Amino acid sequence: MTAQARDDDPTFRPSRAFVSLIGAGPGDPGLLTLRGKAALEAADVVLYDYLAAGELLQFCPRAERIDVGKKGYSEYVSQEDINALMVLKAQQDGGKRVARLKGGDVFVFGRGGEEAQACRAAGVPFEVVPGVTSAIAAPAYAGIPVTHRGLASSFAVITGREKEGDALYGNLSGVDTLVLLMGVRNLDSVAQKLIDTGRSPATPAATVQWGTTSRQRVARGTLSTIAEEVARAGLEAPAVTVVGEVASLRDTLQWFDTSPLFGRTVVVTRTQERNSALADVLRLRGAQVVELPLIRHEKTGDPGTLYRALSQLHSFDWTLLTSQQAVHELFWHLEEMGQDARAFGRGRVAAVGPATARALEARGIRADFTPATPGAAHLGRELPARPGSRLLHLASHRAEDALEEALSARGLNVERVELYRTEPREPDEAALRALHSADVVTLASGSAARALAEVAGTKYRVAVMGPQTEKAAREAGFSAITLAREASLDALADAAAQVVTARFE
Ligand code: SAH
């Protein structure tokens, strides 16, 4: 159809049909690219593989999810069926955006090329979002660089599937590092063929199973012993094997699977919509992270009072915001009222900590005050307000009174208005199972402590963010509490590590 015809035809709708072939990365969800995340967020349908991290599906909560997983060698869904389904979904109902999420990189033994061809043949536009391949990332997380000055200046990624591999081995004599994918089962015969074609049996080798995840396991040996070591350790697919001098660098460069949190299950309780930053920090330390949302945000039960306060925002000397959610809710209401940041007039705005300040900044407001140590009590003690100032605290009905207490101790009055409500959310079966098997549970706020106690009891070892959270946790009935040395994600992760080391020593 020409542009002219489109303009003339009022019923014309350009098709939304589109396929993003996305590399999901090797397992650690933090290794998805920013482009991959954006494409997932835009998807109506997601077709995902066995090796694509389940955590990534959180980026497309409303998309239709189809598991086309292939496990090991037994294909559940044939490649032809995947191609057909992908095209069908893209062309459904006037066109859909399909995210085709594939383990590692799209084109490294991923059959992504065939999927792109199927799109082209069907006239469906597509994009390719490359991913971090397990061929490089699994060795990297095992402390093995695939090239290294003086040791290896080339590497080849090869298949361990015999039929395809056989013709290869003899041609690889000039390549320093070999990375073998899909090769655990045949490792014995592949290693022998490499020796037969001239590689020294003493060449260092390492096999990495479930690389970049909390289940990562590594076997070390030489070309002549690696198959035996792998069998002894019981390693199976998915695994990559690195053959070359670089494999021995693990002995000095091991980093990921040495952390005390490595392989431990950490439940991250969440009382904010968007705070997986702690989960990322913990995963980088090798923890198996289970995120547990504890609350739902509801609209205020008293909109009259809220709207009265919001329509007079400019008449307050200070508006105090004690969570990112509060910033989010405040601007939602301002928008509803047809207003924007100018509603503050000359009134000043204070944030409880850097995250809240950043949320404000995203809305075009630089916080006039943020306490040096984040926390409601610090905000109350340090707020540079003059006696007689009009103060407004916009918060959840469950927010702690620490701010009001600290202000009133200074003779300052604050008007507190319910901006939103936080209601407990019952954990599902899987979450409860995770809680019971968890090595440690993190609590980043008093409301998290209270909500967890309310929905699932207090029989967990908890690592808490600050003294106020500690106090709230104690009051809620927790007894095994470890306090982070300061209010930062790294310190909270350290506290979690302290809990597991204390437990396993
Ligand atoms: N496109 C993928 C590879 C798909 S082939 C990529 O770029 O990573 C599947 C093989 O990838 C597996 O048999 C295994 O050899 C390897 N693999 C994938 N994820 C892995 C992981 N987390 N750890 C180790 N090997 C992995």
Side-chain angles (χ1 to χ4, degrees):
M1 199 180 282
T2 64
Q4 185 59 44
R6 286 176 192 186
D7 289 346
D8 293 346
D9 177 2
T11 63
F12 178 78
R13 297 271 178 286
S15 172
R16 207 175 137 72
F18 191 76
V19 170
S20 295
L21 298 167
I22 308 168
D28 178 347
L31 294 176
L32 177 72
T33 65
L34 294 175
R35 279 278 297 285
K37 177 166 174 271
L40 269 181
E41 284 166 344
D44 303 312
V45 183
V46 53
L47 270 62
Y48 61 97
D49 271 355
Y50 169 64
L51 289 173
E55 283 95 342
L56 300 183
L57 295 178
Q58 70 176 343
F59 296 128
C60 47
R62 276 174 291 278
E64 178 188 356
R65 299 172 179 190
I66 304 175
D67 182 354
V68 293
K70 300 187 233 160
K71 199 173 183 173
Y73 291 177
S74 66
E75 301 196 353
Y76 290 151
V77 184
S78 74
Q79 187 62 49
E80 290 66 32
D81 289 346
I82 293 175
N83 297 355
L85 184 63
M86 187 178 67
V87 167
L88 176 86
K89 284 291 169 189
Q91 292 175 333
Q92 221 170 39
D93 303 336
K96 290 185 170 172
R97 287 193 76 98
V98 176
R100 173 68 181 105
L101 193 59
K102 304 172 68 61
D105 176 67
V106 177
F107 287 160
V108 177
F109 296 123
R111 304 191 69 171
E114 292 163 56
E115 295 178 9
Q117 283 169 336
C119 289
R120 176 89 352 126
V124 173
F126 65 89
E127 67 177 354
V128 179
V129 184
V132 174
T133 179
S134 64
I136 294 172
Y141 271 52
I144 301 172
V146 292
T147 70
H148 189 77
R149 205 176 159 84
L151 279 189
S153 55
S154 61
F155 69 96
V157 179
I158 60 176
T159 168
R161 289 193 177 170
E162 285 192 277
K163 270 203 279 263
E164 298 156 67
D166 273 4
L168 269 175
Y169 306 125
N171 298 328
L172 294 167
S173 53
V175 181
D176 297 321
T177 304
L178 300 182
V179 183
L180 204 70
L181 266 62
M182 303 177 289
V184 236
R185 291 197 195 171
N186 301 329
L187 194 52
D188 202 7
S189 67
V190 173
Q192 193 52 52
K193 281 172 197 155
L194 289 172
I195 292 170
D196 293 346
T197 50
R199 228 158 260 265
S200 159
T203 312
T207 297
V208 187
Q209 179 187 23
W210 283 120
T212 79
T213 76
S214 62
R215 300 157 76 186
Q216 174 171 304
R217 292 181 62 207
V218 182
R220 267 276 286 120
T222 62
L223 199 46
S224 62
T225 65
I226 190 68
E228 210 179 298
E229 296 294 344
V230 164
R232 198 197 322 271
L235 303 193
E236 290 171 3
V240 304
T241 297
V242 187
V243 177
E245 292 303 323
V246 290
S248 62
L249 288 174
R250 172 172 167 82
D251 304 342
T252 50
L253 298 183
Q254 186 182 1
W255 63 277
F256 175 64
D257 41 11
T258 52
S259 147
L261 283 176
F262 175 76
R264 305 284 182 225
T265 303
V266 183
V267 170
V268 173
T269 57
R270 274 191 5 207
T271 55
Q272 300 264 348
E273 227 64 86
R274 309 156 292 268
N275 66 353
S276 50
L278 175 62
D280 288 343
V281 169
L282 291 165
R283 282 199 191 98
L284 198 55
R285 297 185 185 204
Q288 166 75 39
V289 178
V290 180
E291 293 190 68
L292 181 64
L294 284 171
I295 58 159
R296 296 173 285 127
H297 297 293
E298 300 281 329
K299 295 285 160 253
T300 173
D302 184 4
T305 307
L306 176 62
Y307 278 71
R308 253 193 313 283
L310 293 186
S311 61
Q312 288 158 30
L313 216 46
H314 57 274
S315 69
F316 289 93
D317 298 301
W318 284 95
T319 298
L320 313 176
L321 295 165
T322 46
S323 72
Q324 295 173 68
Q325 188 63 26
V327 175
H328 183 68
E329 298 277 345
L330 168 60
F331 278 86
W332 187 87
H333 285 288
L334 287 178
E335 233 162 75
E336 284 288 289
M337 297 165 71
Q339 301 234 19
D340 58 26
R342 285 169 295 183
F344 286 108
R346 304 180 72 84
R348 300 211 261 175
V349 185
V352 71
T356 304
R358 274 195 300 276
L360 274 168
E361 211 164 302
R363 310 289 186 149
I365 297 207
R366 191 164 299 153
D368 296 289
F369 180 74
T370 307
T373 309
H378 291 277
L379 176 58
R381 281 199 289 272
E382 298 162 26
L383 184 77
R386 277 189 286 274
S389 293
R390 284 197 74 198
L391 311 180
L392 174 66
H393 182 199
L394 292 171
S396 149
H397 72 301
R398 283 188 191 238
E400 289 145 81
D401 293 327
L403 174 60
E404 281 72 14
E405 284 165 11
L407 288 168
S408 83
R410 296 169 55 194
L412 289 163
N413 284 328
V414 58
E415 198 174 315
R416 172 154 161 182
V417 172
E418 181 183 295
L419 177 60
Y420 60 101
R421 297 181 70 81
T422 45
E423 302 297 348
R425 166 140 103 186
E426 299 296 325
D428 58 21
E429 282 286 310
L432 280 178
R433 264 198 310 275
L435 262 175
H436 291 302
S437 63
D439 295 303
V440 53
V441 177
T442 63
L443 298 172
S445 68
S447 52
R450 287 187 294 275
L452 180 62
E454 199 168 313
V455 299
T458 57
K459 287 200 181 63
Y460 316 102
R461 287 162 194 272
V462 295
V464 304
M465 185 67 123
Q468 283 175 51
T469 308
E470 184 185 31
K471 184 164 162 269
R474 227 170 267 295
E475 282 167 8
F478 292 91
S479 52
I481 305 174
T482 302
L483 173 63
R485 69 178 184 284
E486 60 174 41
S488 73
L489 297 181
D490 273 314
L492 186 52
D494 287 344
Q498 222 175 306
V499 172
V500 304
T501 17
R503 191 168 179 184
F504 288 92
E505 246 163 27

